[in-house]
């Protein structure tokens, strides 16, 4: 009598997986996400009255916010010692015809979205968040060290910092929402490997070890 499909004596065949991220890349992502979360949460405690009353200790919130913002670029800078991370940064900074095709298909909510290791949406997000962090860091320093610039510059820096912070929160919320909709992508970042079938479907132009896509 042949074993049933759910028979525990039947050997389970593991689906093939392909490496996607290294432990160094995982640590950089986790450290950056933690610092960003601290920035967002402490900013909420400083700007939203109900959170400010609930948490209190405004001086502590200011200190945590300032230092988490200062340290935000540090994980990436330390991670540049990883060859894999540098290769992925190269991929993120290269755009080709398939990226334009991916964006057109995404805007029209169609299938057929060709992508290398990173799709065009991920590339745009990475570029935008990197630029936003630099602007937030620069404006934050002007607000922190008041002697660095005249009052009119500090006023402008405060305006840019506050409104860009709101945009960052919205963009990160979209990033998290998309991540929760793709469990295999999250698993790849957590474990370092992804299902080969998922890789062929979502990133058909990606070949492991190819730094040009």
């Amino acid at each position: 009598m042949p074993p049933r499909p759910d028979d525990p004596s039947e050997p389970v065949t593991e689906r093939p997986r392909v490496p996607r991220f290294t432990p160094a890349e995982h640590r950089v992502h986790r450290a950056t996400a933690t610092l960003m979360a601290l920035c967002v949460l402490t900013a909420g405690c400083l700007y939203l009255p109900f959170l400010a009353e609930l948490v209190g200790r405004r001086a502590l919130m200011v200190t945590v916010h300032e230092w988490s913002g200062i340290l935000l670029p540090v994980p990436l800078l330390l991670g540049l010692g990883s060859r894999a991370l540098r290769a992925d940064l190269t991929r993120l900074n290269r755009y080709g015809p398939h990226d334009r095709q991916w964006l057109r298909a995404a805007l029209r909510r169609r299938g057929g979205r060709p992508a290398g290791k990173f799709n065009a949406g991920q590339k745009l997000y990475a570029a935008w968040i990197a630029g936003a962090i630099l602007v937030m860091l620069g404006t934050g320093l002007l607000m922190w060290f008041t002697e660095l610039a005249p009052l009119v510059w500090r006023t402008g820096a405060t305006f840019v910092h506050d409104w860009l912070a709101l945009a960052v929160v919205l963009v990160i919320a979209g990033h998290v929402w998309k991540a929760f909709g793709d469990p295999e992508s999250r698993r790849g970042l957590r474990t370092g490997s992804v299902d080969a079938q998922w890789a062929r479907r979502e990133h058909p132009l990606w070949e492991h070890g190819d730094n040009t896509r």
Side-chain angles (χ1 to χ4, degrees), residues 189-210:
L189 190 58
R190 187 176 66 253
T191 66
S193 64
V194 292
D195 179 70
Q197 185 176 345
W198 176 89
R200 287 192 296 270
R201 183 181 68 250
E202 299 294 333
H203 301 270
L205 302 181
W206 173 40
E207 297 178 7
H208 179 60
D210 179 7

Side-chain angles (χ1 to χ4, degrees), residues 79-166:
L80 291 177
S82 165
R83 181 181 300 177
L85 179 61
R86 295 197 303 271
D88 276 348
L89 290 176
T90 299
R91 290 185 178 101
L92 285 167
N93 283 318
R94 287 186 178 175
Y95 294 83
H98 61 282
D99 292 310
R100 290 191 292 272
Q101 185 178 343
W102 190 98
L103 287 172
R104 286 195 297 268
L107 291 173
R108 296 170 184 173
R109 298 183 180 275
R110 290 179 172 177
R113 304 179 187 182
K117 184 174 183 179
F118 302 105
N119 62 45
Q122 292 166 329
K123 292 178 180 181
L124 289 176
Y125 171 79
W128 190 91
I129 203 70
I133 287 174
L134 290 176
V135 174
M136 294 290 286
L137 181 60
T139 54
L141 287 173
L142 289 176
M143 295 163 62
W144 188 3
F145 299 102
T146 55
E147 69 279 4
L148 290 179
L151 177 61
V152 64
W153 285 27
R154 300 198 305 271
T155 303
T158 302
F159 178 84
V160 172
H161 194 88
D162 291 351
W163 283 102
L164 184 56
L166 177 60

Side-chain angles (χ1 to χ4, degrees), residues 37-115:
L38 284 173
C39 285
V40 170
L41 292 175
T42 52
C45 294
L46 294 173
Y47 284 91
L48 300 177
F50 74 94
L51 282 180
E53 293 176 5
L54 180 65
V55 176
R57 308 191 67 177
R58 181 177 178 84
L60 176 62
M61 294 297 101
V62 170
T63 301
V64 173
H65 183 77
E66 290 171 342
W67 281 104
S68 57
I70 289 289
L71 295 174
L72 199 52
V74 172
L76 178 61
L77 294 176
L78 293 177
L80 291 177
S82 165
R83 181 181 300 177
L85 179 61
R86 295 197 303 271
D88 276 348
L89 290 176
T90 299
R91 290 185 178 101
L92 285 167
N93 283 318
R94 287 186 178 175
Y95 294 83
H98 61 282
D99 292 310
R100 290 191 292 272
Q101 185 178 343
W102 190 98
L103 287 172
R104 286 195 297 268
L107 291 173
R108 296 170 184 173
R109 298 183 180 275
R110 290 179 172 177
R113 304 179 187 182

Side-chain angles (χ1 to χ4, degrees), residues 1-13:
M1 178 178 178
R4 298 192 307 255
D6 58 349
D7 190 336
S9 64
E10 181 73 7
V12 178
T13 303

